[in-house]
Amino acid sequence: MLNASLKQLSALLAEGKLSSVELTQSFLDRIGQLNPSLNAFITVDREKSLAQARAADELRAKGGAGALTGIPVAQKDIFCAQGWLTTCGSKMLHNFVSPYDAHVIEQFNRAGAVNLGKTNMDEFAMGSSNETSYYGKVKNPWNLDAVPGGSSGGSAAAVAARLAPAATGTDTGGSIRQPAALTGITGLKPTYGVVSRYGMIAFASSLDQGGPMARSAEDCALLLNTMAGFDRRDSTSLEREKEDYARDLDQPLAGLKIGLPKEFFAEGLSADVAKAVEAAIAEYRKLGAETVEVSLPNSKLAIPVYYVLAPAEASSNLSRFDGVRYGHRAPEYTDLLDMYCKSRAQGFGSEVKRRIMIGTYVLSHGYYDAYYLQAQKLRRLIAQDFVEAFKHCDVIMGPTAPSTAFNIGEKSDDPVSMYLSDIYTIAVNLAGLPGMSVPCGFGGNGLPVGLQIIGNYFSEARMLNVAHQYQQATDWHQQMPGGI
Amino acid sequence: MQWEVVIGLETHAQLNTNSKIFSGASTAFGAAPNAQACAVDIALPGVLPVLNRGAVEKAVKFGLAIGAKINRKSIFARKNYFYPDLPKGYQISQFELPIVAEGELTIQLPPSTSSGQGYEKTVRITRAHLEEDAGKSLHEDFHGMTGIDLNRAGTPLLEIVSEPDMRSAAEAVAYAKALHSLVRWIGICDGNMQEGSFRCDANVSVRPKGQEAYGTRCEIKNLNSFKFLEKAIEFEVRRQIELIEDGGRVVQETRLYDPDRDETRSMRSKEEANDYRYFPDPDLLPLVVDEAFLDAARKTLVELPREMCERFEKELELSHYDATTLTATFDRAIYFDRAVMSLGNKNAKLCANWVTGEFSARLNREGKEILFEATRDKWLLVDPASQSSKQEDLPELPISPSQLGKLVVRIADGTITNNIAKKVFDAMWAGEGDADAIIEAKGLKQVSDVGAIEKIVDEILAANPGQVAEYRSGKDKVFGFFVGQAMKASKGKANPAQLNEILKKKLAG
């Protein structure tokens, strides 16, 4: 059962061989057993989850079951879920029980899925290692001394360690793909606007996008079918016809044109990652694909551009956490300004503070043109690179992260080296494109390597097909961490 | 030294949409604190703004009404600052690209002792942009704590910014009144200044007459009555002139007007001013107004003041003075228009005389203004000086437009004389009924019966042989004496034209 796909679990439920209560119970038990060492979950609420499981079983009995009915899904703690503590990994929200559901949560509830708990994450999704969470570091199931990546590190670790059959994540600069790569699972960041941001606590509004994290492309397709959809409460949500992201999974890959950006295979890429990615590309050639070199000349600017724009938006998005209406308020203060200063000083961790300060600086009078406006211009150039590249190929491939998982503490004193772990993923967010990470082997240290697949706008179904065909031919995605 | 005053106004008009500009919560005034603040208004984590189409329509209508340029693409920006009644820590406003740009408004200055002749002036409007209002901080009754009421948070505002085109407090007030009238006229704002639906910030500076460069300006915030606007500007002008003449310098700052002490006080200086860190709101797409949207807005636009003024001149043949006076404020214009409509557009001049004459004089005497409440189609009497009354508590205007029309008809058709009509008007104001009933009850009908008038004339001539002799000897002035006596005898009801004719005939012998 631990290694069953969502489709298999759904079939077991449909055939009556398994109830959602049994299924949920078994994952809750496993969480109870393994979460203390992994710290993948911030909140687990057996009663709530089991109540949903019972409701799912009743729904099934009445004949109203769909593909995800009764399936437990772990939710990143960035999604507001009614009645659930929703912390966003921060002390600031240590007491915030959400009075409403995010669109994504609503969609899962409507589908009859079970909320298995809220997963750990970097504070306000700011981090690449899950070390900035107020609720403690998350461990990589493949090696408890290594980080799982971030910011959706809790979801990634939970799926990799089989604490959950599937999970949600959000991706602002790589926060789904990089932890997916570092833990050997499959994750998809959709085209910006495909998944509603309503109820997803904002980090950088123009970059944030929710998406599925699971063990296979096929599972991701099922999850995305539920997560995607127009939502009028998010003005950046795109009104498009509903599509079945699983529709093309079985298409053969003959004739597929894969673009390989030369910039992604240059200095900074570790040898074992390069080797695994090249092997994966060789596998694709075997499956009938051809490769073509493409260039993303402005992608080297992605990190500096991102670290202007994302903190700028974050500095404003996080202003609402002021201790006035909800969340942490300093127990003692002398006046209003003191209340703001103390509440925010106590409520936010150091990485969040660093980004608020960067963001405040780049938006300040006299600096705005030089930083924010300039970054916006470069952002357009970066997006334009992809438009050019996609004239010559169907998908772009390369590494998801420059190395396998690094050790806990290894980069936490060096923010710039930490920021570089998102070097291949950030440009995709800046362009608003969909991107995936698919397990494609292991490094010399036995830790997973991820292959990144970047698609053109709204080509999620094609990307999932490309990933699925690879997963039919390989078994990297089925590998399970040995220690647990 | 001769000083010239330079004034520009920033006016916040609350748009009368049912729901807020970025959420579905109600905008109704007076609910229990926070009863009308939804998740978006409270700025819970994860919530997002969605633009209210109605607010955009109203902003576009305003732009069309002032002949402005409607920007086909405008941008919402975040204005960042911390304040407890600003839940998101930023206000969503428009900064670099507002929805409305470059319009103008013509104002009428009445003749006055200080300015002499009345005159017209066109004030340029730089821009008008959409934004959300903040909530309210309540400092009383919380035992040293501050209460926050977010009912008002997210209420749509149109901020209308003028060029510094006004040269006196009177011009500033005339502009504010014209703007107030216009937003009510086109139905985008209820104009209720007591409830804060219409409030002004005044930028005031002075410069030596003839100097081109502007002086340093001060901004006086939150003036919510025309009287305060006038007084605050007058005080501020005096303060600045005295300061400069005493060798001081005006410091650019924000000031507050204290009506109790009739003075302005410094609130914060430019150095203390916030750096608002404006940037485009990534949660909202650029606002695009297309041709179809513009056309739809154009169609909902009622006849504008200047158009109504032209119609009064052309179709009703009123003088330019009468037409501009009648269309200077929304309520009186609609009042007159409805009265004259009830007359089938006949006797317009007589009707205009009554509205600008007896009717206005009565309002002035009582210190009242009329208020048309379009939603209930009711005419109310409001005391502009009062700060408290709610609209539903206001008394109704005793004489509706059609009732005034009926009075005018009775003057025009000779039933009553103009003088008697004033008595009837007073009785109508006192609530004694409509014109016909009062004329009937009080027996005020004009006497046009030749026999009856002749009888009166005969009696008077008989009773005053001396005056008759005087007249016949060539003293024409005595004629007035006979008219007076005859009118007195008829209790003012004798038809004046007939009386004159009969008198002349009989005196001629």
Side-chain angles (χ1 to χ4, degrees), chain B residues 57 179 205 249 271 365 469:
Chain B
E57 278 165 7
L179 200 58
S205 65
R249 256 181 59 242
E271 285 72 36
R365 259 203 318 279

Side-chain angles (χ1 to χ4, degrees), chain A residues 114-427:
Chain A
V114 173
N115 184 344
L116 192 58
K118 306 294 292 287
T119 59
N120 206 340
M121 56 183 284
D122 278 302
E123 186 179 9
F124 286 106
M126 297 175 188
S128 309
S129 66
N130 229 302
E131 293 169 288
T132 73
S133 170
Y134 174 68
Y135 303 91
K137 301 167 174 70
V138 178
K139 312 283 169 59
N140 190 323
W142 293 91
N143 175 350
L144 296 181
D145 293 329
V147 302
S151 66
S152 311
S155 287
V159 171
R162 275 60 169 172
L163 301 191
T168 57
T170 61
D171 190 317
T172 304
S175 281
I176 286 176
R177 290 160 289 161
Q178 185 257 16
L182 269 47
T183 58
I185 67 163
T186 306
L188 167 65
K189 177 206 101 73
T191 306
Y192 183 81
V194 163
V195 172
S196 168
R197 294 185 296 113
Y198 186 79
M200 194 177 108
I201 299 175
F203 161 15
S205 312
S206 74
L207 300 159
D208 295 343
Q209 187 61 200
M213 301 179 80
R215 287 200 313 280
S216 69
E218 183 188 60
D219 287 359
C220 283
L222 288 180
L223 293 166
L224 188 59
N225 278 346
T226 293
M227 296 176 79
F230 174 65
D231 176 16
R232 54 172 300 280
R233 296 167 302 181
D234 173 3
S235 305
T236 62
S237 165
L238 295 161
E239 198 164 4
R240 306 180 77 247
E241 230 166 276
K242 192 92 187 150
E243 57 178 301
D244 175 11
Y245 292 102
R247 66 181 186 272
D248 290 334
L249 287 179
D250 296 327
Q251 296 297 317
L253 296 187
L256 176 75
K257 268 195 167 173
I258 299 171
L260 302 174
K262 55 183 181 198
E263 295 81 4
F264 281 18
F265 296 89
E267 201 187 338
L269 180 63
S270 74
D272 48 359
V273 171
K275 201 174 143 201
V277 169
E278 274 153 19
I281 287 159
E283 182 66 35
Y284 270 106
R285 286 198 195 96
K286 268 197 250 165
L287 291 168
E290 19 173 329
T291 57
V292 50
E293 189 184 91
V294 293
S295 178
L296 302 170
N298 292 296
S299 63
K300 62 179 181 297
L301 299 170
I303 285 190
V305 165
Y306 177 87
Y307 278 97
V308 170
L309 297 181
E313 294 183 15
S315 70
S316 176
N317 282 334
L318 269 58
S319 292
R320 68 186 59 197
F321 305 109
D322 57 5
V324 172
R325 299 166 314 288
Y326 52 77
H328 177 74
R329 184 191 290 186
E332 281 173 31
Y333 46 87
T334 55
D335 58 13
L336 177 64
L337 184 64
D338 194 43
M339 183 187 96
Y340 282 149
C341 293
K342 287 204 173 109
S343 300
R344 287 169 67 84
Q346 295 164 6
F348 292 138
S350 59
E351 183 61 29
V352 171
K353 286 176 190 159
R354 174 163 29 241
R355 299 203 196 186
I356 290 175
M357 284 190 282
I358 295 171
T360 302
Y361 179 81
V362 300
L363 289 176
S364 294
H365 187 72
Y367 299 96
Y368 179 84
D369 289 4
Y371 291 102
Y372 185 83
L373 268 192
Q374 189 66 15
Q376 286 290 23
K377 285 179 197 159
L378 295 174
R379 180 177 184 172
R380 280 191 287 276
L381 290 181
I382 291 165
Q384 194 54 39
D385 279 359
F386 284 104
V387 172
E388 276 306 309
F390 279 120
K391 287 178 182 165
H392 308 290
C393 60
D394 304 312
V395 292
I396 290 170
M397 286 188 191
T400 303
S403 71
T404 55
F406 44 92
N407 279 339
I408 291 170
E410 191 181 325
K411 297 187 179 181
S412 43
D413 294 331
D414 184 356
V416 174
S417 115
M418 183 75 89
Y419 298 167
L420 284 170
S421 58
D422 292 328
I423 191 163
Y424 305 124
T425 50
I426 277 177

Side-chain angles (χ1 to χ4, degrees), chain A residues 72-96:
Chain A
V73 178
Q75 301 289 352
K76 185 174 180 180
D77 207 23
I78 200 168
F79 290 103
C80 288
Q82 195 178 348
W84 288 80
L85 184 68
T86 300
T87 70
C88 218
S90 182
K91 179 181 179 183
M92 187 53 93
L93 291 176
H94 69 90
N95 57 0
F96 178 68

